[in-house]
Amino acid sequence: MADQVFQPLPTVPDHASLEEEILAWWEAQGTFEQLRDRNRGGPTFSFIDGPVTANKTLGVHHAWGRTLKDVFQRYKALRGFDQRYQNGFDCQGLWIEVGVERSLGLNSKPEIEEYGLEAFARKCRDLVVRSAAEITGASKRLGQWMDWGNDYFTFSDTNIEYVWRMLKKVHGSDWLYKGHRSTEWCPRCGTSISQHELVGSYVDRADPSLFVRLPLRDRKGESLVIWTTTPWTLPANVAAAVNPEAEYGLRSNGEWVAVARYPDEKFMERLRGSELVGWTYEGPFDDLVGAQHRVIPWDEVSLEEGTGIVHIAPGCGSEDFELAQVYGLEMLTPVDESGRFYNEYGWLHGLSTVEAGEQIIGALEEKGRLVEAGLHEHRYPECWRCHTPLIFRIADDWFISVRDLRQPMRDANGTVEWTPEYMGKRMDDWLVNMGDWNISRSRYYGLPLPFYPCACGHLNVIGSKAELEERAIEGLEQLEELRRPWIDRVPVRCVECGEPVERVKEVGDVWLDAGIVPFSTLGWENPTWIPEGYATGAAKGLTKADLPDHAYWEQWFPADWVSEMREQIRLWFYSQFFMSVVLVGRSPYERVLGYEKMLDEKGREMHSSWGNTIDAEDAFARMGADVMRWQFCAQPPDRNLLFGFGPGHEIKRRLLTFWNSVKFFVDYANIEGFTPSWQRLDPAGDLKPLDRWLVERTKRLVADATAGYEATLTVDVIRAFESFVDDVSNWYIRRSRRRFYSLDEAAFGTLWYALVQSLRVLAPMLPFLSDHLWRNLVQDGPASVHLAPWPEPAAPDEELLAEIAAVRRVVELGRQARSSSQLKLRQPLRRLVVTGAADVAHGHADEIADELRVKEVRFGEVEVSELRVRPNLPVLGPKLGAALREVRESLRRGEFEELDGGRFQVDGHVLEPGEVLVERVGREGWAVASEDGVTVAIDTALDDDLRLEGRLFDRIHEVNVLRKESGLELTDRIRLWIPDSDLLEHFGERLAAETLAVSVELGELRLEKA
Ligand SMILES: [Zn+2]
Ligand SMILES: [Zn+2]
């Protein structure tokens, strides 16, 4: 065995180490570059990567998305498509800021300002640089082929300029406005939260529940009772709302409440809500800030909770704010942007909303105003970055009106092909319901909004760096990046009145940064190609990405395909959609693959505090990237993925079946000296029917896999591959094993062809294992499976496939029947009867007999099975009522008639298929299995001959185990001793042949190498 053609395979693959080896080999060979060179100038497939936030290491949920992107880019590359492989990093916004704040121990905006914005900006960039390097390393380890080093970073000045241009256009169309609104606000982050950031941030919380008495000014001894779960808003109370249609009643203790809320109480007086309107009352804290308080009508007042009288604080709630506009109410804003009470709130000054809540409850109690205090469980929104409960606050924010954009966006969405389809509907729902886009954030490390509102009333919007330079009054020399603090030192001249104007302090929503990418990275409207032109501002030194010219944009826009997690519908899918409709009036992508959420293997959310998150590095080491990728690819995109080491283990087990098939080929090809040739891929020679079947079966795999990839459904490819592996291992190799004990060219050639084709199909999903095995199996073809072209799909011989499928089904049922009888598969049996199998299976009686170790196979009516029919109680009970008992008894006694279509007649009732549970069991001495109209019955009776033969197979099995344990090669001949004189007498030759023994003698069981 000196000149082995194939590298022998170990019994079990070491995924992690073979992957490292392949990575190094790709690197050394420049495999990816070779692939790109080959495809350059070919048809294009445009993919645009959604940026990952560069604030951490790679999580396994990112690895999911990255795998899908990589799979389809690899598939398209195999098909010869020229592609862009630009990876993207999201580099600005609160994720980055909060990370840096934590590392520096800063807890508020004043602390950041004290630390210094310049130093803070540097730290933010450092975090991005570190994180980008880590994400890149882990992505490479995952096997993702990207144009690393030419990534886009959204904090580049170029990216920022492109957003500026978009905003200028928005302003030109009159869609930009500054709104004075009540908005959800994170007191820790000190900024407003926009609508798309709010979805999914509701959590279950227990908050204080207070019933508070507010004395009426003109009705001595009487008071209103209101209910609130946000005590901190009470000092800002200016009104109490009643439902004008509802009835209110006066309790004997002088309290007014809605009658509907207390139906069992006695009331001294009853009035309609509309009659209460206009009453005035004493506020809960008039000693702090004096204000008018009156009763107003509001149709929305709920009679489902509270007292039916609603506390209104327009400075602390969005509906309250709107009511204030209608009724001209005073607007008290008690807390600053960090959620702490202003000076004028006396003893509350400086307290947070939570701290104030406790003090307020105490103060109300002292004043005798507290009716009741408890806890209330409800869903309440919290900040998606820092998990602080949100409050409502009045703020001035910048908005883009969606009034004119909603319909064009819905129309554009109609042109997009979504997989799964319902996600397109989700996008439409979002577009129908979206409010104006709040694009401003009162923060630091973000896109500087280029708004310069002048005292003369003119809003100057700067559209580019060149325009800024042209209109700047001073500060250009220190403008290192288009970023705070540097840009705030560059005032411009008002185009209307010529006076100096300063920029607003706000930065932009991060989704502006990510949404502009289909324009900023592709060189939209850029007159000339600029080498490394994207590497500007903070991105300088981090990437070598060019800024292409407009012709390039024309070529690559819109994207043929994008893929991200479902939550990106309202985020990245939305923001790039929005900007694309604004700029060019159409969708930036044609097809989308979305996918649901990742949970842990038990179906729980993954949280670091629960200890069930999995680090990607850990998964690479313990599972291997291929096994992770398989787990991602096997997942239907419309369901949550339950990811973990448990499922990983199961995948390894399945992959082992495939590995064993390759190992079987390698072992015997080495022994027999089989040498295949890539030039003659199709098997030649005297093909047996089974060989011809495997060739057709392989064509089926290629066709199914191609269809799966084309539909962007990896789950279909995995299923096709798994069923193919089962056919190869449990049918072809099982049935042909003996042919590999000599140099049967047709058998070797056919198996090699099938394995090679399956590696090509597997390559996009499992790039490491497929290349590792390819390099072993294909020695005169393309050096890497990733450089071999995609196998041309051809229509297989469906008749032949159906025939063998029918045979395999009979065998499968036969195995089930045998195992139900507890007889070992090694024990030969006398007879088997098959009913209902396709006619085509009839010609395969010998194979069926051999597989199931029976002496005789007969096709015909199975009379040996007994039909058991039981009522399906939940269905039949309601239908039959009292008659059920009788029917049940008749069924038990077997007194029924079988009708066609799976129906039964019993006691004059006709029972439909779903109403009964049907079971076919073997009569005494027979084992039966049945499924979808095919029934297999096996005679389980044993006689002395069968028993003796059964012992023969036991003995052969035992000897072969002993061979393995003794470390013998597959081809080693042995001398064998067995203790059974009867076996020796009847089956001596057969024993010798099956165990490669040159001699078999009587004695204690042992063997030695001959
Ligand atoms: Zn926050
Ligand atoms: Zn002006």
Side-chain angles (χ1 to χ4, degrees):
M1 245 166 274
D3 306 321
Q4 287 189 331
V5 173
F6 304 102
Q7 192 68 37
L9 298 181
T11 8
V12 179
D14 178 349
H15 288 281
S17 81
L18 77 81
E19 288 169 5
E20 298 281 3
E21 199 184 306
I22 289 285
L23 278 174
W25 184 75
W26 285 343
E27 182 79 34
Q29 300 290 311
T31 311
F32 178 45
E33 289 69 28
Q34 289 183 46
L35 176 67
R36 294 189 69 187
D37 286 345
R38 190 189 74 188
N39 290 341
R40 211 154 271 140
T44 58
F45 175 73
S46 177
F47 164 74
I48 293 181
D49 183 41
V52 60
T53 307
N55 69 330
K56 54 193 167 300
T57 55
L58 192 79
V60 285
H61 58 290
H62 295 121
W64 182 7
R66 295 193 158 238
T67 294
L68 293 178
K69 292 171 182 179
D70 188 55
V71 166
F72 291 105
Q73 288 216 278
R74 282 177 181 271
Y75 167 69
K76 285 289 179 181
L78 289 172
R79 304 217 70 167
F81 284 85
D82 192 1
Q83 298 176 68
R84 299 181 72 250
Y85 291 90
Q86 190 174 35
N87 170 76
F89 291 111
D90 223 350
C91 315
Q92 307 188 114
L94 265 170
W95 274 126
I96 310 288
E97 288 195 31
V98 170
V100 171
E101 280 180 75
R102 277 188 192 138
S103 72
L104 295 174
L106 305 177
N107 266 314
S108 65
K109 285 165 68 176
E111 285 179 34
I112 295 174
E113 296 196 9
E114 200 179 314
Y115 180 79
L117 290 194
E118 208 164 311
F120 187 71
R122 301 261 184 259
K123 290 282 182 194
C124 289
R125 185 178 184 274
D126 288 349
L127 173 61
V128 169
V129 173
R130 248 187 351 262
S131 161
E134 282 180 12
I135 291 174
T136 301
S139 303
K140 287 180 179 170
R141 177 63 189 83
L142 180 68
Q144 193 184 15
W145 270 353
M146 289 299 255
D147 198 1
W148 306 114
N150 287 317
D151 319 73
Y152 69 80
F153 288 77
T154 60
F155 59 18
S156 104
D157 277 2
T158 306
N159 208 68
I160 290 168
E161 280 192 86
Y162 266 95
V163 179
W164 281 10
R165 278 167 81 171
M166 199 273 318
L167 291 172
K168 188 163 177 124
K169 171 142 190 193
V170 163
H171 180 50
S173 305
D174 212 17
W175 295 325
L176 183 70
Y177 69 92
K178 188 174 183 178
H180 181 70
R181 287 193 179 188
S182 178
T183 167
E184 271 96 351
W185 186 275
C186 174
R188 201 217 66 89
C189 295
T191 188
S192 55
I193 300 289
S194 79
Q195 205 185 353
H196 55 238
E197 293 172 302
L198 203 59
V199 179
S201 8
Y202 280 77
V203 293
D204 287 317
R205 275 174 56 87
D207 277 312
S209 160
L210 300 191
F211 291 83
V212 180
R213 198 177 286 127
L214 302 172
L216 291 164
R217 289 198 182 276
D218 299 322
R219 297 178 69 112
K220 271 267 159 299
E222 295 178 16
S223 52
L224 305 170
V225 181
I226 56 102
W227 176 69
T228 181
T229 57
T230 49
W232 71 270
T233 62
L234 286 171
N237 175 282
V238 295
V242 295
N243 189 322
E245 300 303 319
E247 194 181 15
Y248 289 82
L250 179 65
R251 290 164 160 169
S252 58
N253 63 3
E255 292 172 358
W256 283 93
V257 291
V259 172
R261 295 293 304 143
Y262 303 91
D264 301 332
E265 282 197 36
K266 283 206 170 64
F267 293 101
M268 298 158 64
E269 187 183 350
R270 291 170 184 239
L271 292 172
R272 291 192 83 70
S274 52
E275 295 175 88
L276 273 57
V277 171
W279 291 1
T280 57
Y281 60 90
E282 291 174 30
F285 292 101
D286 285 345
D287 47 335
L288 292 177
V289 177
Q292 298 296 313
H293 306 278
R294 62 184 161 107
V295 177
I296 58 166
W298 186 25
D299 294 338
E300 303 290 310
V301 169
S302 162
L303 298 173
E304 302 293 316
E305 57 181 11
T307 61
I309 305 177
V310 175
H311 146 64
I312 302 292
C316 314
S318 71
E319 288 162 324
D320 310 47
F321 180 85
E322 279 163 30
L323 286 169
Q325 315 285 316
V326 177
Y327 295 103
L329 303 175
E330 213 175 326
M331 200 118 30
L332 302 180
T333 49
V335 296
D336 64 16
E337 61 172 28
S338 63
R340 294 189 177 270
F341 277 80
Y342 286 117
N343 279 348
E344 55 264 44
Y345 284 80
W347 50 271
L348 287 169
H349 164 230
L351 296 183
S352 75
T353 54
V354 176
E355 294 159 351
E358 290 157 21
Q359 305 265 353
I360 284 167
I361 296 170
L364 288 169
E365 189 149 32
E366 244 168 64
K367 290 186 185 185
R369 294 282 188 87
L370 192 61
V371 179
E372 197 188 317
L375 283 176
H376 178 66
E377 301 269 352
H378 59 166
R379 305 281 293 163
Y380 195 83
E382 58 175 33
C383 174
W384 56 280
R385 291 155 299 229
C386 70
H387 299 291
T388 303
L390 300 180
I391 60 174
F392 271 97
R393 196 172 169 272
I394 293 171
D396 290 333
D397 276 308
W398 292 90
F399 292 85
I400 301 177
S401 163
V402 298
R403 185 190 59 225
D404 301 337
L405 289 167
R406 192 186 311 276
Q407 194 52 46
M409 285 179 75
R410 292 187 67 196
D411 295 343
N413 186 43
T415 68
V416 178
E417 185 188 328
W418 287 82
T419 304
E421 221 177 305
Y422 67 84
M423 291 195 187
K425 176 74 177 72
R426 292 272 170 87
M427 173 60 108
D428 189 60
D429 289 346
W430 171 253
L431 295 176
V432 168
N433 295 308
M434 66 180 175
D436 291 350
W437 186 356
N438 175 346
I439 56 166
S440 57
R441 301 289 179 272
S442 310
R443 295 294 304 191
Y444 310 102
Y445 201 72
L447 165 101
L449 290 176
F451 305 153
Y452 296 76
C454 179
C456 79
H458 182 75
L459 173 61
N460 298 274
V461 176
I462 301 291
S464 68
K465 195 173 177 184
E467 188 183 348
L468 178 73
E469 284 166 355
E470 192 185 303
R471 292 173 57 182
I473 295 168
E474 60 183 14
L476 283 177
E477 72 296 336
Q478 56 85 55
L479 187 62
E480 302 184 14
E481 297 169 15
L482 293 181
R483 179 177 313 291
R484 300 187 71 182
W486 304 288
I487 194 161
D488 294 340
R489 301 174 191 142
V490 185
V492 302
R493 209 164 285 289
C494 175
V495 76
E496 202 61 33
C497 69
E499 289 299 309
V501 210
E502 299 213 329
R503 193 185 75 85
V504 300
K505 288 287 173 279
E506 285 87 352
V507 298
D509 181 356
V510 283
W511 296 105
L512 292 167
D513 306 349
I516 201 68
V517 159
F519 298 89
S520 62
T521 63
L522 300 180
W524 179 66
E525 289 195 345
N526 183 41
T528 50
W529 190 296
I530 308 172
E532 298 192 25
Y534 187 87
T536 50
K540 225 179 279 173
L542 290 180
T543 174
K544 295 191 180 310
D546 294 346
L547 179 61
D549 57 16
H550 189 74
Y552 184 85
W553 180 84
E554 292 271 5
Q555 188 186 1
W556 294 97
F557 181 96
D560 289 301
W561 184 72
V562 290
S563 175
E564 303 291 334
M565 202 171 276
R566 189 195 69 195
E567 65 169 357
Q568 295 296 336
I569 288 173
R570 67 191 159 83
L571 302 171
W572 188 62
F573 289 141
Y574 166 70
S575 70
Q576 54 164 333
F577 208 76
F578 191 102
M579 294 164 96
S580 188
V581 168
V582 165
L583 292 177
V584 294
R586 58 170 302 183
S587 168
Y589 41 78
E590 293 185 340
R591 293 177 78 192
V592 181
L593 171 64
Y595 47 93
E596 291 288 338
K597 265 199 335 211
M598 180 184 286
L599 304 172
D600 76 5
E601 60 187 79
K602 296 196 182 80
R604 298 182 312 158
E605 301 262 352
M606 287 185 173
H607 287 299
S608 40
S609 57
W610 295 354
N612 63 347
T613 52
I614 299 177
D615 186 54
E617 292 295 343
D618 195 24
F620 294 141
R622 287 175 58 191
M623 207 185 289
D626 276 334
V627 173
M628 292 166 72
R629 292 174 67 115
W630 176 291
Q631 212 169 144
F632 301 139
C633 289
Q635 179 62 30
D638 58 354
R639 266 167 273 163
N640 291 334
L641 165 57
L642 309 188
F643 184 87
F645 289 105
H649 195 73
E650 170 63 19
I651 290 164
K652 277 190 179 173
R653 202 183 57 73
R654 287 189 221 175
L655 274 175
L656 200 56
T657 308
F658 179 61
W659 178 266
N660 283 337
S661 297
V662 181
K663 181 173 165 52
F664 173 83
F665 169 84
V666 165
D667 286 346
Y668 287 97
N670 277 340
I671 291 167
E672 303 300 338
F674 174 73
T675 313
S677 162
W678 172 250
Q679 301 310 320
R680 297 185 307 276
L681 177 64
D682 292 336
D686 184 15
L687 295 199
K688 297 267 182 326
L690 203 55
D691 300 331
R692 283 202 298 279
W693 167 76
L694 185 56
V695 170
E696 297 307 314
R697 184 65 189 79
T698 307
K699 285 187 196 161
R700 169 90 273 153
L701 168 69
V702 172
D704 287 350
T706 305
Y709 283 122
E710 287 297 326
T712 66
L713 287 174
T714 46
V715 54
D716 290 355
V717 188
I718 291 276
R719 283 178 188 151
F721 181 77
E722 278 195 293
S723 99
F724 175 79
V725 168
D726 181 56
D727 274 340
V728 169
S729 167
N730 292 321
W731 193 251
Y732 183 79
I733 293 180
R734 264 185 80 87
R735 301 295 315 141
S736 321
R737 195 173 282 278
R738 275 158 211 289
R739 294 171 61 200
F740 291 87
Y741 298 166
S742 63
L743 188 53
D744 182 331
E745 290 277 351
F748 276 106
T750 304
L751 182 54
W752 181 75
Y753 161 82
L755 294 174
V756 165
Q757 294 296 76
S758 65
L759 290 177
R760 297 168 79 180
V761 156
L762 193 61
M765 297 188 300
L766 270 58
F768 298 104
L769 185 71
S770 59
D771 222 12
H772 177 76
L773 295 175
W774 174 274
R775 292 176 58 203
N776 199 3
L777 292 190
V778 184
Q779 297 175 2
D780 64 338
S784 162
V785 66
H786 306 292
L787 296 174
W790 187 251
E792 224 23 76
D797 179 345
E798 299 290 357
E799 263 176 46
L800 180 56
L801 292 180
E803 184 175 328
I804 302 300
V807 175
R808 283 213 66 191
R809 150 163 288 192
V810 170
V811 169
E812 217 27 71
L813 287 171
R815 288 214 183 99
Q816 279 175 32
R818 287 195 66 124
S819 76
S820 73
S821 72
Q822 320 269 310
L823 285 166
K824 276 187 285 189
L825 202 54
R826 284 200 290 276
Q827 174 62 56
L829 297 172
R830 195 56 69 194
R831 261 174 310 167
L832 172 149
V833 186
V834 186
T835 285
D839 288 347
V840 289
H842 295 197
H844 295 266
D846 289 351
E847 284 164 275
I848 295 170
D850 190 40
E851 273 296 309
L852 294 170
R853 243 173 226 169
V854 293
K855 300 289 177 194
E856 181 202 344
V857 171
R858 208 156 50 74
F859 291 89
E861 207 50 45
V862 174
E863 286 161 8
V864 293
S865 80
E866 195 178 336
L867 194 58
R868 277 188 204 158
V869 182
R870 287 177 296 131
N872 184 0
L873 293 174
V875 183
L876 214 47
K879 174 176 167 178
L880 295 179
L884 177 68
R885 199 191 162 105
E886 205 177 315
V887 166
R888 190 180 187 169
E889 270 308 296
S890 301
L891 286 174
R892 198 184 59 76
R893 289 195 298 268
E895 292 164 5
F896 56 81
E897 190 189 339
E898 189 173 6
L899 307 175
D900 58 351
R903 297 172 310 143
F904 293 89
Q905 170 129 6
V906 195
D907 292 338
H909 302 278
V910 172
L911 310 183
E912 299 295 326
E915 297 170 349
V916 286
L917 306 168
V918 182
E919 197 186 349
R920 280 178 206 278
V921 289
R923 289 224 174 109
E924 193 62 36
W926 289 80
V928 178
S930 179
E931 195 182 79
D932 298 337
V934 183
T935 303
V936 174
I938 296 181
D939 184 352
T940 56
L942 295 180
D943 52 34
D944 288 347
D945 289 350
L946 290 173
R947 282 199 192 91
L948 183 66
E949 208 180 338
R951 279 180 41 224
L952 166 72
F953 288 114
D954 281 346
R955 192 56 87 196
I956 291 172
H957 176 72
E958 209 176 344
V959 172
N960 282 332
V961 169
L962 205 56
R963 283 186 60 107
K964 240 180 232 165
E965 286 171 359
S966 316
L968 293 171
E969 296 288 336
L970 291 166
T971 47
D972 285 342
R973 305 276 148 172
I974 56 166
R975 267 189 286 280
L976 177 66
W977 287 264
I978 60 163
D980 333 75
S981 56
D982 48 355
L983 287 185
L984 202 53
E985 184 185 331
H986 291 95
F987 298 112
E989 272 176 38
R990 208 160 145 196
L991 238 170
E994 294 282 349
T995 58
L996 293 189
V998 292
S999 67
V1000 187
E1001 288 169 56
L1002 198 61
E1004 210 167 292
L1005 182 69
R1006 69 189 171 94
L1007 55 78
E1008 64 185 33
K1009 198 171 160 185

